[in-house]
Amino acid sequence: MGSLRVPQTPRTVVITRRREGSQPQENSTGKTSSLDPSAQAAKERGKKLFQEEQWEQAAQAFTEALGTRSPPDHTLLTNRALCNQKLLRWDLVEQDARLAVQLSETSVKAHYLLGKSLQEMGRLEEAQTELTKSMSLSSSKQFKSYRGSIEVALLSVRKRLWMREQAKQDMEDELTRGKMMDIADACLAAAKARGVPPEEVMELFDLALLSLEPID
């Protein structure tokens, strides 16, 4: 499996200083990865640049650390994804996080970053799945500081899903009301032709419309 490369600095870079997630770590188990000396040096440089909030340079350092290693080190992928999260490059975050999940299915950080990128790109159902996995894997004290970010992202996704479903339901109700009014108009016209009092027809339709009102 070939390594993924971060493109050169784009013409316009948007930087955010939100404190989402955590700084790059060794890996999810606390063990140091087996990297050659040059790759390890690049990794350490990337971590230092990340702490200095030099996201672009940190991403390049992690790319250098990845080199042509096959398969790539999943912690380097998530570290690079963290950099691209700060730069709001959600497509690149998804790429690295998805590959990291394939390499380490129990990586809390990989599932979180994948879910976060999917959330930002509007793929809410997929985001909910990945964030839920991340939450279920983060029960140990080791991930206590990470759980807050996961919970916030998961609640945001669930709220957006609920709002989308509510908007869909409101639209369906409005369409139903419109159709019923058309039917009411047709019935009134028919009632008038047959000499039926229009009040009787409208009373029936008022009752029908009330049945569509949401219950508080």
Side-chain angles (χ1 to χ4, degrees), residues 85-97:
Q85 175 186 246
K86 296 295 185 180
L87 295 166
L88 306 183
R89 297 174 181 167
W90 299 112
D91 56 335
L92 295 180
V93 175
E94 181 194 2
Q95 282 184 16
D96 278 351

Side-chain angles (χ1 to χ4, degrees), residues 187-208:
C187 288
L188 282 172
K192 182 178 180 180
R194 290 173 173 77
V196 177
E199 293 80 6
E200 295 182 11
V201 178
M202 290 310 300
E203 183 178 356
L204 291 172
F205 273 89
D206 285 343
L207 290 172

Side-chain angles (χ1 to χ4, degrees), residues 26 32-50 57-67 69 76 79:
E26 292 301 314
T32 303
S33 302
S34 56
L35 300 175
D36 61 59
S38 62
Q40 186 63 38
K43 178 180 180 179
E44 294 303 319
R45 186 169 72 257
K47 291 169 63 179
K48 183 175 184 296
L49 289 166
F50 187 94
Q57 294 88 336
Q60 292 173 359
F62 290 129
T63 298
E64 181 183 336
L66 281 162
R69 181 188 176 104
L76 291 175
N79 285 352

Side-chain angles (χ1 to χ4, degrees), residues 172-174 176-178 180 207-215:
E172 290 176 352
D173 288 348
E174 190 63 31
T176 300
R177 291 173 194 274
M180 290 193 69
L207 290 172
L209 287 173
L210 284 173
S211 69
L212 295 176
E213 294 294 333
I215 298 175

Side-chain angles (χ1 to χ4, degrees), residues 108-172:
V108 173
K109 189 191 298 185
H111 282 292
Y112 165 73
L113 288 169
L114 180 54
K116 183 66 178 175
S117 64
L118 292 168
Q119 174 193 1
E120 293 295 335
M121 292 189 290
R123 293 152 63 183
L124 300 180
E125 289 84 357
E126 295 176 78
Q128 181 173 230
T129 297
E130 294 303 326
L131 290 169
T132 300
K133 288 180 182 177
S134 182
M135 179 64 74
S136 66
L137 292 168
S138 65
S139 58
S140 70
K141 292 181 179 179
Q142 179 185 356
F143 301 109
K144 183 178 180 181
S145 62
Y146 226 94
R147 283 183 67 87
S149 296
I150 301 170
E151 289 173 352
V152 169
L154 189 54
L155 285 173
S156 177
V157 167
R158 287 172 176 170
K159 180 180 178 180
R160 288 175 63 184
L161 283 170
W162 179 85
M163 290 177 65
R164 189 174 70 183
E165 187 60 32
Q166 189 65 37
K168 179 181 177 182
Q169 186 62 50
D170 289 346
M171 183 178 294
E172 290 176 352

